[in-house]
Amino acid sequence: LADQLRASFDAAVAAEERVEPRDWMPDEYRASLVRQMAQHAHSEIIGMQPEANWITRAPSLRRKAILMAKVQDEAGHGLYLYSAAETLGTSRDELLDKLHAGKQKYSSIFNYPTLTWADVGAIGWLVDGAAITNQVPICRCSYGPYARAMVRICKEESFHQRQGYELLLALSRGTEAQHAMAQDAVDRWWWPSLMMFGPPDDESAHSAQSMAWRIKRHSNDELRQRFVDIAVPQAESLGLTLPDPDIKWNEERGHHDFGAIDWAEFWDVLKGNGPCNEQRINQRRTAHEEGAWVRDAAAAYAEKHTSTGRE
Ligand code: 3HC
């Protein structure tokens, strides 16, 4: 029977059908989805920290309102993704425990500091831009709840990317000091943004299987290249330069060549040695502890009202 189940699962995936929560699926498929969706959700909520750092210091009410809306969106993205992951039989509590215990990852990009206001623009333009390039294909992922969560997340990400681009454009066209601040932020966020797409294909542990299961639609290097090709003309219209002298259009390839990524830095940040790893995870643990009373109150309320049957 197991062989029949596996054969029909493989046929369904090969036929581009959606796998839904109640369908039979190989344990490894389930485990890899929990791994990726959990890390995706963790990235969203940890990603709130670098930007929240600037909410109280935004230069205008308009910028403050935009940034608050964006950070709120990230919390919502985390919620969708934890809920989608729960359809695989895990719980948000279990996933958060693994995050707090260092047993699950979040995107390396959030282990870098936001040193100036321009970083908010660089994150919107580059980090959310990279996230869109990586996430649009996941809208076609074989697992239904994950693919459907991505549709709304990608729509909101495009607002995140546009507000970042517009913020950088204002600075780039501002005073000399503002232009320099924007350029400094791009210099610091460019390479770590390329690392968001994961290690090179030949060092990617999951890509082959993830692509066979149609979870991953394009390889890490393919999406990274796609992002570079999008970002180069945008940098030109921003009047900012990307910190890579090797970027050059390659007519033959139909893509931009670009310089070597410092993979030692990437693996070092994944090992926990990035500039802000400690700070991010400590702040996350504290937020979780300080938020316990809210969870307890919500649970008590739910308990009281479901037992009385009142809404
Ligand atoms: N940061 C942290 N860990 C990373 C990473 C990164 N930038 N890139 C790869 N890794 C990890 C992988 O998780 C895997 O470790 P694991 O076995 O412990 O999970 C290992 O490095 C090897 O990488 P693989 O390429 O084999 O792993 P994947 O096939 O999972 O590919 C991925 C990595 C492309 C990030 C994929 O997991 C993915 O597409 N995830 C969903 C998208 C996502 O998580 N994006 C986070 C960006 S931030 C964000 O979206 C918030 C937005 O608001 C900006």
Side-chain angles (χ1 to χ4, degrees), residues 113-175:
T114 43
L115 302 177
T116 74
W117 169 252
D119 286 40
V120 175
I123 288 177
W125 174 48
L126 293 173
V127 175
D128 291 88
I132 292 171
T133 306
N134 163 277
Q135 290 171 167
V136 164
I138 305 178
C139 297
R140 292 186 298 113
C141 146
S142 56
Y143 188 58
Y146 193 23
R148 290 188 290 270
M150 272 309 112
V151 173
R152 175 158 172 194
I153 288 180
C154 287
K155 286 199 176 84
E156 291 171 343
E157 290 294 354
S158 49
F159 144 63
H160 299 173
Q161 195 267 357
R162 257 204 300 283
Q163 63 81 35
Y165 179 90
E166 191 243 348
L167 190 161
L168 281 181
L169 190 61
L171 289 176
S172 176
R173 290 180 175 167
T175 64

Side-chain angles (χ1 to χ4, degrees), residues 32 35-36 206-216:
S32 195
R35 170 191 66 80
Q36 176 166 330
H206 302 287
S207 283
Q209 182 60 73
S210 187
M211 290 177 86
W213 280 329
R214 288 181 168 58
I215 296 170
K216 186 179 274 190

Side-chain angles (χ1 to χ4, degrees), residues 43-115:
S43 303
E44 302 283 3
I45 60 165
I46 297 270
M48 294 163 71
Q49 290 186 31
E51 294 179 305
N53 179 29
W54 285 92
I55 290 179
T56 54
R57 295 179 283 167
S60 71
L61 202 51
R62 175 173 175 268
R63 291 286 179 208
K64 186 192 189 94
I66 292 173
L67 185 54
M68 280 167 61
K70 178 180 192 298
V71 173
Q72 205 175 330
D73 279 353
E74 309 296 10
H77 296 174
L79 188 60
Y80 306 150
L81 288 162
Y82 285 126
S83 304
E86 286 182 331
T87 66
L88 289 161
T90 180
S91 74
R92 196 187 323 172
D93 289 347
E94 191 184 324
L95 300 178
L96 285 171
D97 289 348
K98 285 191 177 136
L99 171 67
H100 301 153
K103 291 205 185 80
Q104 272 178 349
K105 297 181 166 75
Y106 57 89
S107 186
S108 51
I109 191 71
F110 296 122
N111 290 312
Y112 292 85
T114 43
L115 302 177

Side-chain angles (χ1 to χ4, degrees), residues 208-224:
Q209 182 60 73
S210 187
M211 290 177 86
W213 280 329
R214 288 181 168 58
I215 296 170
K216 186 179 274 190
R217 290 297 193 165
H218 302 278
S219 79
N220 298 357
D221 288 330
E222 228 179 299
L223 290 181
R224 194 178 351 261

